[in-house]
Amino acid sequence: MPYEHITVETRDNVGVITLNRPKALNALSGALMNEVAEAVDAFEGDDAIGASILTGGEKAFAAGADIKEMKDKVYMEAYREDFITAKWERIAHSRKPIIAAVAGYALGGGCELAMMCDFIIAADNAKFGQPEITIGIIPGAGGTQRLTRFVGKSKAMDMVLTGRMMEADEAERCGLVSRVVSPDRLMEEALTAAKRIADYERNTVMAAKEMVDRAYETTLAEGIRFERRMFQSLFGTPGQVEGMDAFADKRRPKFNRS
Ligand code: CAA
């Protein structure tokens, strides 16, 4: 299906979704988010794809939810359509890993969308922020919750209450971002990471991702218990047998990529 607000491509076993409304700095309209959700669905259902990348443009990953589109909304309308939740959370619920490759502005919903991905690789010109307070609202796509878990209360309060932007090096220092590279190396770095993930045993990757996600939603004791069971359940699976045989045989493992 042709998309209007995003482009979608595959590179071997990696899917790439590029936000593509450059004139509006990739403002996240309803139509754009519907397309993102469809693209995630398609990659999720495609056995040939093991991991994906979500990226934007050089000037903006995304400058937030579309302010012009939402400015006249009233509560009952937002409630009825479950504004933000309906399609946006699709990324957070993907069972296959998604890497955010962020250059330029990642503000408001843009920062929140990046945080819904599994990790963020940033170009050194990236700027993160939750500036909703400057337009009379608060973050509505998880910013107050996910940002706090990433960077802690003090910095999250600073970002959410002042609306200031955070540069890539600060974002890396405080754990929002996993790596920072020059803008011209951003996609190469993200593609290499995604390919590396996609080449591992699919079920093992999904289990590892599920376990790290669980750390955000449970107590330490329950998380450890769940991890232990998941770890034990991988014994005797093709990935474990091949991975450990290959190690013992001093050869590269041939994992199941579908
Ligand atoms: N929604 C709609 N349009 C947007 C937009 C947004 N979030 N961000 C930028 N645009 C549009 C501008 O209106 C402008 O369009 P026109 O040319 O038609 O006027 C175009 O993109 C270029 O933007 P600027 O001229 O403003 O570019 P700049 O370089 O001067 O400034 C910027 C860049 C600092 C990012 C500025 O555009 C800006 O502050 N944008 C809004 C950021 C923001 O407040 N985001 C939060 C949105 S609310 C939200 O996301 C809620 C949530 O939690 C889900």
Side-chain angles (χ1 to χ4, degrees):
M1 199 206 90
Y3 293 105
E4 204 180 326
H5 307 293
I6 62 173
T7 62
V8 173
E9 59 184 310
T10 56
R11 303 273 189 97
D12 189 9
N13 51 355
V14 172
V16 181
I17 301 170
T18 305
L19 308 174
N20 189 28
R21 279 187 82 197
K23 286 191 183 139
L25 301 185
N26 292 333
L28 303 166
S29 62
L32 182 148
M33 289 311 300
N34 287 345
E35 291 187 358
V36 169
E38 268 180 44
V40 172
D41 275 342
F43 285 146
E44 191 93 306
D46 183 346
D47 281 344
I49 297 296
S52 314
I53 296 168
L54 178 68
T55 192
E58 273 172 37
K59 182 173 176 186
F61 173 74
D66 191 321
I67 299 169
K68 293 166 191 166
E69 188 179 77
M70 70 182 158
K71 70 189 251 306
D72 297 321
K73 276 193 194 300
V74 292
Y75 173 57
M76 270 302 138
E77 180 193 354
Y79 177 73
R80 259 293 180 88
E81 70 187 54
D82 205 4
F83 180 50
I84 297 293
T85 313
K87 298 291 176 179
W88 288 61
E89 292 285 338
R90 180 66 189 89
I91 294 217
H93 296 146
S94 171
R95 297 187 71 207
K96 294 178 186 171
I98 304 180
I99 300 171
V102 174
Y105 296 112
L107 303 177
C111 184
E112 292 166 309
L113 198 60
M115 289 191 291
M116 284 181 206
C117 296
D118 294 296
F119 60 97
I120 302 173
I121 300 180
D124 58 21
N125 71 345
K127 290 183 193 326
F128 297 87
Q130 297 291 161
E132 287 86 348
I133 197 120
T134 67
I135 54 167
I137 55 169
I138 66 169
T144 61
Q145 304 303 299
R146 289 196 178 96
L147 186 63
T148 307
R149 282 167 168 79
F150 277 116
V151 305
K153 177 180 169 184
S154 187
K155 210 166 271 281
M157 281 289 191
D158 178 0
M159 303 297 293
V160 169
L161 294 180
T162 68
R164 80 169 171 93
M165 292 185 209
M166 186 193 271
E167 307 268 344
D169 59 346
E170 184 183 0
E172 186 181 27
R173 272 200 313 277
C174 66
L176 177 59
V177 152
S178 74
R179 322 176 187 182
V180 177
V181 294
S182 60
D184 58 321
R185 289 204 45 239
L186 178 65
M187 279 313 287
E188 182 190 326
E189 187 84 6
L191 280 163
T192 303
K195 171 104 182 84
R196 190 165 175 174
I197 294 166
D199 283 347
Y200 291 128
E201 183 80 11
R202 181 75 48 83
N203 289 343
T204 313
V205 167
M206 288 170 64
K209 170 175 155 48
E210 186 177 349
M211 283 317 314
V212 177
D213 282 338
R214 183 56 74 104
Y216 280 94
E217 299 190 352
T218 192
T219 62
L220 180 62
E222 280 307 312
I224 296 281
R225 183 197 299 269
F226 188 33
E227 182 199 75
R228 204 60 40 86
R229 294 288 169 264
M230 187 74 97
F231 170 72
Q232 291 161 350
S233 77
L234 292 174
F235 284 88
T237 61
Q240 178 263 334
V241 172
E242 170 62 9
M244 294 195 185
D245 277 352
F247 179 82
D249 297 346
K250 299 189 186 301
R251 61 175 171 82
R252 283 171 71 86
K254 285 199 197 78
F255 288 123
N256 175 12
R257 299 188 348 166
S258 62

